[in-house]
Amino acid sequence: MRKTLILFQIFLVFSVLAQAQSRVITGQVKDDKGRIVPFASISIKNQVTGVISSGVSADANGNFKIDVGSNKFLVVSSTGFKEKDISVPQSGTTLNIELGNSAQVIEEVVVTALGIRKNRNQLGYAAQQISGEDISQTRSSNFVNGLSGKVSGVEIRQGAGMGASTNIVIRGTKSLLNSNQAMFVVDGVPVDNSNTSNSSTATGGVKDVNGRDVGGYDYGNAAADINPDDIESLTVLKGAAASALYGSRAANGVVMVTTKKGKRGLGITVNAGVIVGKIDKSTYAEYQKEYGAGYSQTGYSKAGSGSDNYGFWYKDAFGSGSSSLIVPTTEDAAYGVRFDP
């Protein structure tokens, strides 16, 4: 019982000391001209360890209220102002804080036409820049696919097949008859990104040397040849004013690609990427192997037989003077006579 009482007394003493060391500080945050700084952040930092433990935010009038202890000081910060460290006073509970304006100006350098570098706030047109790291994060057979959702006002149309073209349209369609593709410029060299496929290839009107249809192909476009690992930055120039220096070819906008440059030193970089494609076999066309060429078994007649249920042509195919049964192979269907095993 006596030990329990002693422990309780020790605990009570430590509680009183801790209560004595902690107190509530109130105050207001203003700038160097006496104007209120609303919603400033006030954090508590340990003077010995330098660890920030907690903090509060000032209200719209710059007023704050925070509970601090000994060996602590306050870190006050706000956007556009220099961060300030203030020691907690040994006595008193009111603290007025004055923040100085930050001398740092946030400027973003943008690569514009002909490789000219300008600050964003000096541009009279829309331009958006993306780093090469953001582009190469999403691996694809065409780096243009990685721009999807990263650039405002840009529509990315991806092809379904492997190696298919990827169309990039900036600020909507501008022509009903001509190409709407954006112009690519790689280190100042224009690159034509037009789709080399035409209406014949798109509809399957491609024929081999024997005149047979071999199906449709999408041959892709030149932008797929650009290695995303070689891109340092990419700038999309939007509108006529942005692309005027490149002439009429840039009427649909310009995608400026700046590649990485060599640096002094070893600078070895190893990149590895694997792209896996899978085709669903259930989407394959199903072929029947039971009936021969032609449309129906009653669609053709055997001359002189008095019947038209044979499904063959009856012609002199070999010039021998006698007719033979000929399979109508020129037809584009296979609903003819059943095969004879």
Side-chain angles (χ1 to χ4, degrees):
M1 183 66 182
R2 185 176 181 181
K3 291 182 178 180
T4 304
L5 183 60
I6 294 174
L7 291 175
F8 178 75
Q9 290 175 347
I10 294 174
F11 176 76
L12 183 62
V13 170
F14 277 107
S15 300
V16 172
L17 291 176
Q19 185 68 23
Q21 292 176 352
S22 178
R23 67 183 186 276
V24 177
I25 299 293
T26 60
Q28 189 177 38
V29 182
K30 296 182 179 181
D31 62 7
D32 51 3
K33 295 182 180 180
R35 294 173 298 191
I36 294 173
V37 178
F39 310 114
S41 297
I42 300 94
S43 303
I44 301 174
K45 192 174 183 179
N46 192 297
Q47 195 170 3
V48 178
T49 63
V51 177
I52 297 176
S53 58
S54 61
V56 296
S57 295
D59 58 15
N61 296 320
N63 298 317
F64 68 92
K65 181 179 180 181
I66 189 169
D67 189 0
V68 298
S70 61
N71 295 327
K72 303 286 179 67
F73 61 89
L74 302 179
V75 179
V76 185
S77 62
S78 181
T79 304
F81 296 90
K82 293 181 180 179
E83 185 176 277
K84 191 172 186 179
D85 296 344
I86 299 175
S87 299
V88 176
Q90 297 297 328
S91 61
T93 58
T94 303
L95 186 63
N96 293 321
I97 301 173
E98 181 180 294
L99 294 180
N101 292 325
S102 176
Q104 181 180 6
V105 179
I106 300 175
E107 294 182 352
E108 182 179 355
V109 178
V110 179
V111 180
T112 62
L114 303 180
I116 301 172
R117 293 177 178 267
K118 290 186 177 181
N119 293 331
R120 178 177 292 277
N121 55 5
Q122 295 178 347
L123 297 179
Y125 48 81
Q128 187 170 351
Q129 183 168 321
I130 303 175
S131 65
E133 295 180 357
D134 293 336
I135 298 173
S136 59
Q137 284 180 354
T138 304
R139 291 290 176 177
S140 176
S141 59
N142 193 331
F143 87 95
V144 181
N145 297 337
L147 300 179
S148 181
K150 293 184 174 66
V151 185
S152 61
V154 174
E155 179 183 1
I156 307 296
R157 302 173 183 173
Q158 304 180 21
M162 300 186 73
S165 60
T166 299
N167 300 331
I168 175 170
V169 179
I170 300 176
R171 288 185 172 177
T173 301
K174 302 174 181 64
S175 175
L176 296 176
L177 300 178
N178 299 320
S179 174
N180 288 281
Q181 286 291 298
M183 179 183 178
F184 279 73
V185 178
V186 182
D187 292 335
V189 179
V191 176
D192 185 11
N193 192 48
S194 299
N195 192 335
T196 55
S197 303
N198 53 36
S199 58
S200 180
T201 59
T203 57
V206 183
K207 297 182 181 297
D208 60 11
V209 293
N210 298 320
R212 296 174 298 185
D213 291 335
V214 294
Y217 292 102
D218 186 347
Y219 293 105
N221 38 20
D225 297 334
I226 302 175
N227 183 8
D229 294 322
D230 294 338
I231 299 176
E232 179 182 358
S233 64
L234 182 145
T235 305
V236 179
L237 305 180
K238 310 170 188 178
S243 54
L245 291 177
Y246 290 108
S248 59
R249 289 187 300 173
N252 298 322
V254 177
V255 178
M256 300 213 35
V257 178
T258 303
T259 59
K260 298 176 181 177
K261 304 298 185 295
K263 298 179 180 179
R264 181 174 297 178
L266 191 59
I268 297 178
T269 302
V270 178
N271 293 302
V274 177
I275 299 176
V276 179
K278 183 179 180 181
I279 300 177
D280 187 2
K281 293 184 178 180
S282 64
T283 62
Y284 285 179
E286 296 183 4
Y287 297 95
Q288 62 89 15
K289 302 177 181 179
E290 187 175 358
Y291 296 93
Y295 275 98
S296 67
Q297 298 183 30
T298 61
Y300 310 93
S301 62
K302 178 180 177 182
S305 66
S307 175
D308 60 350
N309 295 326
Y310 290 90
F312 296 98
W313 285 326
Y314 191 65
K315 297 180 179 179
D316 182 7
F318 305 102
S320 61
S322 60
S323 299
S324 304
L325 296 176
I326 306 298
V327 177
T329 54
T330 57
E331 301 289 0
D332 58 352
Y335 298 107
V337 179
R338 185 190 298 267
F339 288 135
D340 185 354

